[in-house]
Amino acid sequence: MQQSSIQLLFREISLGQKEAFNRLFYDFYERLVQFAVQYTKQPEPAEEVVSTVFVNIWQKRERLAAVKAPEVYLFVAVKNGCLNFLRRSSKTIRTGPDTAELPEGCRSDGAEYKELEVMISNAIDRLPVQRQLIFRLIREEGLKAKEVAAILSVSVRTVESQLYKAVKSLAAALSDYLGYHPQRDGHLREKLFSLFF
């Protein structure tokens, strides 16, 4: 969904249009839950946080017309909700995935492609939390570095640096499978980004 379309939805919701709210929920709920899981580590609290964000959006809808970057607004609201949830929790529940799930839109009948996607997914899961979030927001959500910087309250330079380190780490983890070693490759940046984006 283009930014202008989201802004239109925000304006319509601010005027009390329930259909616009339903459309926003339909378009963003799953994406926001996947984002929230990066913090909560489990789907149930992630769903609870995102549902609460949507309830608050409807209850305080009059404010939405003034929001300049609606998509960033949604992700920041979910991030803050997750951080509040983690603060309230007596302990952070950590679970390791029993089976790696392929990212949506990356399904393939080729066994090798599926194997590579599983390896990539596992390698992403092993990245430091901030680096993993930055990588997922850019690769899976299609956000720009500036938007990710606003969501995570860091500089654009930090986002770009962490993204490059993430891609470099992933390529190193997959080097044996891929048949080349990033550290010794002269066209590192081009190869890395063509692999993951």
Side-chain angles (χ1 to χ4, degrees), residues 96-101 118 122:
D98 294 329
T99 57
E101 188 173 325
V118 169
N122 289 338

Side-chain angles (χ1 to χ4, degrees), residues 107-186:
R107 311 283 179 186
S108 170
D109 292 331
E112 281 188 24
Y113 187 79
K114 286 185 178 180
E115 183 183 356
L116 178 59
E117 283 295 333
V118 169
M119 291 177 71
I120 290 173
S121 181
N122 289 338
I124 291 170
D125 289 341
R126 291 193 295 269
L127 292 172
V129 175
Q130 185 189 58
R131 197 169 295 171
Q132 183 182 142
L133 282 172
I134 288 171
F135 183 84
R136 289 189 185 280
L137 284 171
I138 291 176
R139 181 185 187 237
E140 297 172 12
E141 296 300 332
L143 298 180
K144 296 179 175 60
K146 186 177 180 181
E147 294 170 325
V148 174
I151 290 168
L152 299 179
S153 302
V154 296
S155 69
V156 173
R157 187 183 183 99
T158 296
V159 170
E160 291 171 344
S161 171
Q162 289 295 310
L163 177 64
Y164 183 73
K165 287 177 182 176
V167 173
K168 191 173 179 180
S169 296
L170 294 175
L174 300 171
S175 59
D176 289 337
Y177 184 89
L178 297 171
Y180 70 90
H181 291 265
Q183 290 81 359
R184 300 196 296 267
D185 197 292

Side-chain angles (χ1 to χ4, degrees), residues 37-79:
V37 167
Q38 303 306 309
Y39 287 96
T40 64
K41 305 302 180 189
Q42 287 197 330
E44 293 82 5
E47 291 168 359
E48 183 182 328
V49 166
V50 174
S51 296
T52 300
V53 166
F54 276 103
V55 168
N56 289 337
I57 283 174
W58 181 252
Q59 289 178 339
K60 302 172 182 177
R61 56 189 177 275
E62 297 82 8
R63 306 177 186 177
L64 296 182
V67 174
K68 302 296 182 192
E71 193 162 0
V72 171
Y73 176 90
L74 290 172
F75 279 99
V76 169
V78 170
K79 181 191 82 166

